Amino acid sequence: LSHSKNVFSLCFSDGDGLADANNEELELKLNQCIENTLDKSLKTRQAGLKGLRGVLREQLLYDVLIDRRVTVTVSVEKCLKKGNGEEQVCAATLASLLCIQLEGGQEAVEVYRATRPLLVSILMDKTATAVARQSCASALGICCFVTADDIEEVSATMTVLETLFSPCGCEAGGVSGVLAAGQAQRALQASSLLAWTLLLTIYPASGLHALLQRHLSSLPELLSCEDVTVRIAAGETMALLFELSRELDQDFVFEGTEGLFSQLKALATDGSKHRGKCDRRKQRAIFRKVLHSVQDGEVLAETVKFGLECMYVNSWARKRTYEAFKEALGPGVWPHLQGNVLLRDIFELGPPILINAASVQATKLSKFERNNFNTATFKARTKSRAFLRDKRVDCWW
């Protein structure tokens, strides 16, 4: 993969002076954050970790990080090993961001090998905070997805994650039952399941059949969990399992089809008052898609727009992959989709497009056009909200 530049110089071919000034300022900020992560003060270290996390999310810094990766990796290792709570959360997130920034190359593999034992240790540690374990689960999934070429490595990581969400393995992983777990533990189950599902998208077809058969019969149990996040994660995973099963065998038939369809239909039309209105709407919106996909084989049709480009999300595997990177990168997912060679390769977007500043300016609307557009949008939104005040209307924003 070719080396990507800073986002300022990548996206615009004009204005080199401004880009250079921004690059210098950014490099100074990055150096200060790295220095702060090695400080003795907990507050300073946390501030450095958060600042570094923000910079790595928003900018493309391969050329800058390639010479500093060892220092940043050492900082992440120390914070994971000796830190606790919030410090471990930030450090785990940094591990995944570092692998993404290094574009999954040999340098990223070295980061993964250095941090993996610590991530697994915290993940399986019952005394660690639930939020730290949750962050480690997500980071482990992203890092393995980006760097692992060995099926045994992917399989071993999936086995670790499976112990935290599988109904029969919850006891071993420190979660006392799916239905009895606390809210924080349920969030850990959801994160572990989503990380496992991400790795499932790159699992070789040769060993996929046995894996699908085992989990198609066990995962429906998670659909009965009290937590909406776990239910949604389980539903999306079931949709992916059916999608992969049909790719392997066009005549695929699931033995417990009737019971599963009834369960999915109940979740897609759930109106239980003891659940929050937002949770009900979100659950219904997602499980309608899951039901149509599982029952009728309906294909997803979603579009993600970023800059002057757009990406089609037309499968559950692609949806899970995009959402995983979106969660890791936050608002910075768009700049990375535009310029990060790794993401563009994963989503088959082709090489980064060099955008001329004049072309960008030509696509912008004038102030008069923006005001007219905003006025029309405001009127349409007012009418829509007035209609949706009727409680009988089922809609998810």
Side-chain angles (χ1 to χ4, degrees), residues 36-326:
N36 288 343
T37 59
L38 299 170
D39 198 85
K40 292 183 179 180
S41 169
L42 174 62
K43 267 189 176 179
T44 305
R45 285 200 309 274
Q46 287 186 350
L49 289 169
K50 290 179 180 179
L52 193 56
R53 180 179 62 184
V55 172
L56 295 187
R57 278 178 169 173
E58 295 173 3
Q59 310 293 340
L60 302 176
L61 300 169
Y62 181 93
D63 293 338
V64 179
L65 278 175
I66 196 68
D67 297 326
R68 297 169 174 81
R69 68 184 188 283
V70 176
T71 306
V72 178
T73 304
V74 169
S75 299
V76 170
E77 288 182 80
K78 285 184 178 180
C79 293
L80 285 173
K81 191 181 297 184
K82 299 181 179 180
N84 51 55
E86 185 64 26
E87 190 174 358
Q88 289 178 327
V89 171
C90 294
T93 305
L94 273 181
S96 59
L97 291 174
L98 198 54
C99 288
I100 294 172
Q101 287 280 356
L102 294 173
E103 300 177 351
Q106 184 57 39
E107 296 84 4
V109 173
E110 292 172 4
V111 173
Y112 175 60
R113 288 175 180 170
T115 57
R116 186 187 189 279
L118 297 172
L119 292 173
V120 174
S121 176
I122 296 171
L123 186 59
M124 304 305 292
D125 184 4
K126 300 179 184 180
T127 62
T129 61
V131 67
R133 297 174 73 189
Q134 182 181 346
S135 183
C136 286
S138 300
L140 190 62
I142 284 283
C143 293
C144 185
F145 179 88
V146 168
T147 62
D149 292 328
D150 185 6
I151 175 58
E152 293 182 2
E153 178 65 30
V154 176
S155 182
T157 304
M158 291 177 72
T159 301
V160 170
L161 294 167
E162 187 177 337
T163 61
L164 295 168
F165 70 81
S166 175
C168 60
C170 287
E171 251 343 289
V175 180
S176 56
V178 176
L179 299 179
Q183 184 176 359
Q185 297 293 357
R186 293 194 191 108
L188 172 60
Q189 288 174 9
S191 296
S192 302
L193 177 56
L194 291 173
W196 181 88
T197 308
L198 175 65
L199 296 180
L200 181 64
T201 62
I202 60 171
Y203 201 82
S206 57
L208 201 55
H209 182 73
L211 195 67
L212 295 175
Q213 290 298 320
R214 185 168 76 250
H215 288 282
L216 277 171
S217 58
S218 63
L219 274 177
E221 196 171 331
L222 293 175
L223 296 174
S224 302
C225 181
E226 295 178 1
D227 187 76
V228 66
T229 309
V230 176
R231 291 197 303 273
I232 289 174
E236 292 183 341
T237 303
M238 287 298 298
L240 176 59
L241 290 175
F242 269 78
E243 181 179 270
L244 294 175
S245 298
R246 285 168 178 154
E247 287 179 3
L248 290 176
D249 181 9
Q250 294 182 353
D251 300 324
F252 165 75
V253 177
F254 180 57
E255 293 180 359
T257 299
E258 293 184 5
L260 178 61
F261 288 174
S262 299
Q263 198 173 10
L264 293 176
K265 188 174 182 180
L267 290 168
T269 57
D270 186 12
S272 303
K273 296 298 183 183
H274 69 277
R275 290 181 179 139
K277 184 184 290 186
C278 289
D279 286 348
R280 290 202 308 270
R281 287 184 173 181
K282 183 177 182 181
Q283 175 183 290
R284 287 196 295 258
I286 292 176
F287 273 96
R288 279 197 296 268
K289 295 179 181 179
V290 172
L291 180 61
H292 292 156
S293 178
V294 171
Q295 190 172 20
D296 307 322
E298 189 174 304
V299 180
L300 283 176
E302 298 180 4
T303 304
V304 177
K305 294 183 179 180
F306 52 96
L308 302 179
E309 301 176 82
C310 68
M311 177 180 70
Y312 297 104
V313 181
N314 51 10
S315 69
W316 288 99
R318 200 175 181 89
K319 177 180 174 65
R320 175 82 287 271
T321 305
Y322 170 69
E323 289 183 347
F325 281 104
K326 184 180 178 181

Side-chain angles (χ1 to χ4, degrees), residues 361 363-375:
Q361 187 64 32
T363 61
K364 291 185 178 180
L365 297 175
S366 66
K367 186 175 180 180
F368 177 74
E369 290 173 327
R370 288 199 305 271
N371 288 339
N372 285 343
F373 176 77
N374 291 337
T375 302

